[in-house]
Amino acid sequence: MKLYVSFAARIRAMIDEGVLRPGEKVFSVRQASQQYGLSISTVLRSYLLLEQEGVISSHPQSGYYVTPRKRLQQKQGSPLAKDLNLSEVDASKLVLTTLKSIREFGTVPLGSPFPDPQLFPLKRIHQYEKALTDDGGEWGVLSDLPPGNEMLRQQIARRYLALGMHASPDDIVITHGATEAITLCLQAVAKPGDAIAMESPGYYALAHTVERLGMKVVEVRTDPTSGIALDALRAVCANVRIAAVILTTNFQNPLGFVMPPTKKQALVAFLAEQQIPLIEDDVYSELYFSEQAPLPAKAYDYSGMVLHCASFSKSLAPGYRVGWTSAGRYRGEVERLMFLSSLSLASAPQIAIAKFMQRDSYEQHLKQLRHTLRSNYILIRNVLEQSFPVGTEFSEPQGGYVIWVKLPPALDALQLYRAAIDNGITVAPGTIFSRTKEHTHYIRLNFSHLWTLAIEQAVREVGALACALLRSEKPKQVGRLNEPSAD
């Protein structure tokens, strides 16, 4: 056996045995040459072979990394998926199965709800966090207390002001991510047993949050290009006592739309008239593809009825779980609830993020992040158009990192989910985004991960699996999702 083939097999075995895990860096060419007594050209040929197989991928000026496709060649899929009963799927169980499959078996993360961590300057933020011990007097128990670190609240307020929105650091309460912000806002405006209006389809984690608090989810039809249907929302509010509305107006997950400004204004005005609070989940707001950031619904709030929630998890520091809310007239109650439930949020992550925003080029990071996500969207869209079966339609996200795929009605998304995971790939079936049976032939795909040959092959393979499930050999054609409604 040739030396480069033998060394490639050795690296492949390390990956299969978990010595090198998905996302981890492989030995540099020079390290491998010295450690294994091989010429640099032999190591390069080995890495080229592994890259062609989709086992590793090269990152310019960084080196080689294990791709998320560790076990795809073995076609073993994820054993975790074997326990799923596709006829009675529990959304939370399916999501957990997907995430465990990605973490433990290296399946391709097209079904992940999270952005690729490699997109973010985590090393730089971590350096600020480590250096805090040298910055005497900047943090302590008192600075941990709600509403949170003052320097960070100042930086967030400046982001609001940059959008032309009046904001004061005193309006902001720092939380453990956007989920806690939404949870606190719900507790501030509603009680167990109350009905909460939500988008359908919409992000499943929001519905889980509502139900965990003992509240009831009332789903409202949502247009794939302009957001929640106002006529349907009005009808719901006329027939059910709605305690609050939760929705995402910018780059909604899974649809990716931006609600038009006039519709945001009409929504806020209607809810203010009805004295119904709006909890706005705006975690994707910085991920726009256009030249200008869209305003949140909060920008049209003149009565303090909009509780705006966001975090840095999608734009700067995933894993740090630093979020916030600007809760309008409910701000004092949210701060009190934050104190009672969590007492405080650790200062170090808050200060580290604030210092990065203050001293480094946050705008430059965001510009590069948006460029990468937009480029990835174009790439995945091209592959989807080439690979998926007749009658497939795609959303046209204006930001964020997910695309909503409408499959031919005869194709069951849960069957495609099982077929994909058996082949080492995850997708998110549409059934987890709604309580209704209207989205059984939809899937959501994540395009945030570094675009490699392995990722491209995975998307093509999902398309091939969809074609196989339909047993169709007809020419492929694609379309667009519905035009915007008149709301």
Side-chain angles (χ1 to χ4, degrees):
M1 183 182 293
K2 295 181 179 179
L3 271 179
Y4 79 91
V5 176
S6 177
F7 183 61
R10 189 169 192 169
I11 297 295
R12 197 182 298 109
M14 291 182 185
I15 294 170
D16 288 338
E17 293 166 6
V19 177
L20 293 171
R21 298 182 62 82
E24 291 185 346
K25 191 173 183 179
V26 184
F27 312 108
S28 71
V29 173
R30 187 172 298 279
Q31 283 175 330
S33 172
Q34 294 173 349
Q35 184 169 339
Y36 294 97
L38 301 171
S39 67
I40 287 179
S41 63
T42 297
V43 176
L44 283 171
R45 290 187 69 183
S46 301
Y47 284 1
L48 178 60
L49 177 62
L50 292 170
E51 191 173 13
Q52 289 172 339
E53 293 176 351
V55 176
I56 65 174
S57 58
S58 61
H59 297 202
Q61 300 180 332
S62 180
Y64 291 87
Y65 291 79
V66 181
T67 69
R69 232 177 166 184
K70 182 179 73 171
R71 299 205 173 187
L72 187 56
Q73 286 73 29
Q74 296 174 302
K75 300 293 182 183
Q76 291 178 349
S78 165
L80 296 168
K82 306 302 182 185
D83 297 330
L84 285 177
N85 180 354
L86 295 186
S87 63
E88 298 180 1
V89 168
D90 174 80
S92 60
K93 183 176 181 181
L94 190 145
V95 172
L96 285 172
T97 297
T98 298
L99 295 177
K100 287 181 180 179
S101 177
I102 293 168
R103 183 188 67 197
E104 298 176 16
F105 300 97
T107 50
V108 182
L110 299 180
S112 170
F114 307 120
D116 186 348
Q118 297 179 82
L119 296 171
F120 305 100
L122 298 178
K123 183 176 180 180
R124 183 62 175 157
I125 295 172
H126 184 58
Q127 288 173 342
Y128 281 124
E129 192 173 7
K130 288 178 63 179
L132 283 176
T133 52
D134 299 328
D135 298 332
E138 286 199 51
W139 58 315
V141 175
L142 292 179
S143 61
D144 288 349
L145 296 176
N149 181 264
E150 184 177 5
M151 178 167 45
L152 180 59
R153 288 185 289 114
Q154 288 173 343
Q155 293 299 322
I156 294 170
R158 288 174 184 173
R159 301 299 297 176
Y160 281 111
L161 292 172
L163 290 172
M165 299 169 59
H166 173 71
S168 163
D170 293 336
D171 298 331
I172 295 161
V173 178
I174 305 298
T175 62
H176 293 87
T179 299
E180 184 178 58
I182 292 168
T183 299
L184 295 172
C185 289
L186 273 168
Q187 292 174 313
V189 303
K191 62 184 183 301
D194 282 348
I196 309 297
M198 304 185 66
E199 301 160 299
S200 178
Y203 187 40
Y204 47 80
L206 298 181
H208 294 166
T209 298
V210 170
E211 292 174 337
R212 191 169 61 248
L213 294 174
M215 301 172 190
K216 301 173 184 176
V217 172
V218 177
E219 294 189 319
V220 181
R221 172 173 48 87
T222 299
D223 184 89
T225 56
S226 67
I228 197 165
L230 296 187
D231 58 344
L233 180 61
R234 292 187 188 102
V236 166
C237 292
N239 291 284
V240 180
R241 184 189 176 280
I242 297 297
V245 175
I246 301 179
L247 50 74
T248 304
T249 62
N250 295 324
F251 321 124
Q252 189 250 25
N253 183 352
L255 299 175
F257 63 78
V258 173
M259 184 181 287
T262 54
K263 192 169 182 178
K264 288 174 182 172
Q265 287 179 289
L267 170 69
V268 173
F270 166 70
L271 294 178
E273 179 185 317
Q274 299 294 314
Q275 288 293 290
I276 299 174
L278 170 61
I279 300 174
E280 183 178 20
D281 178 16
D282 205 24
V283 293
Y284 308 102
S285 62
E286 298 281 14
L287 308 183
Y288 51 90
F289 296 162
S290 60
E291 293 298 319
Q292 188 171 358
L295 288 172
K298 180 69 175 176
Y300 307 100
D301 176 28
Y302 305 109
S303 60
M305 296 292 289
V306 178
L307 299 85
H308 185 254
C309 303
S311 81
F312 294 103
S313 296
K314 308 298 189 291
S315 62
L316 181 61
Y320 274 64
R321 298 203 53 74
V322 176
W324 72 90
T325 180
S326 177
R329 65 170 68 174
Y330 303 98
R331 181 236 179 254
E333 178 63 9
V334 169
E335 181 178 344
R336 185 184 74 84
L337 289 168
M338 175 68 185
F339 180 81
L340 293 175
S341 65
S342 300
L343 182 62
S344 65
L345 178 67
S347 284
Q350 297 182 66
I351 297 173
I353 289 173
K355 287 194 171 183
F356 179 88
M357 296 176 73
Q358 186 180 58
R359 300 179 184 179
D360 287 84
S361 181
Y362 184 40
E363 285 297 339
Q364 185 60 38
H365 157 68
L366 290 173
K367 183 177 180 181
Q368 180 59 49
L369 175 61
R370 295 171 192 137
H371 173 76
T372 299
L373 293 177
R374 189 175 189 280
S375 297
N376 284 3
Y377 162 61
I378 294 171
L379 290 166
I380 196 172
R381 177 70 187 233
N382 289 339
V383 175
L384 289 170
E385 290 177 345
Q386 297 165 12
S387 307
F388 273 62
V390 172
T392 302
E393 301 178 22
F394 312 110
S395 65
E396 297 184 45
Q398 299 174 55
Y401 53 85
V402 297
I403 185 168
W404 186 239
V405 181
K406 181 181 180 182
L407 303 163
L411 184 52
D412 186 337
L414 283 172
Q415 290 184 346
L416 181 58
Y417 169 86
R418 169 61 66 78
I421 208 167
D422 284 346
N423 283 271
I425 308 165
T426 59
V427 300
T431 48
I432 66 176
F433 298 96
S434 175
R435 296 326 194 247
T436 70
K437 299 296 183 181
E438 297 177 10
H439 305 102
T440 57
H441 56 286
Y442 290 79
I443 60 172
R444 186 204 64 189
L445 301 177
N446 180 328
F447 55 80
S448 70
H449 292 79
L450 183 72
W451 192 262
T452 62
L453 179 62
I455 294 291
E456 180 178 333
Q457 287 176 339
V459 177
R460 291 188 186 279
E461 187 158 352
V462 174
L465 291 168
C467 291
L469 287 171
L470 284 172
R471 292 186 168 84
S472 172
E473 297 297 332
K474 296 178 183 179
K476 299 177 179 61
Q477 54 184 217
V478 297
R480 296 181 179 182
L481 292 182
N482 303 334
E483 294 300 318
S485 71
D487 284 327

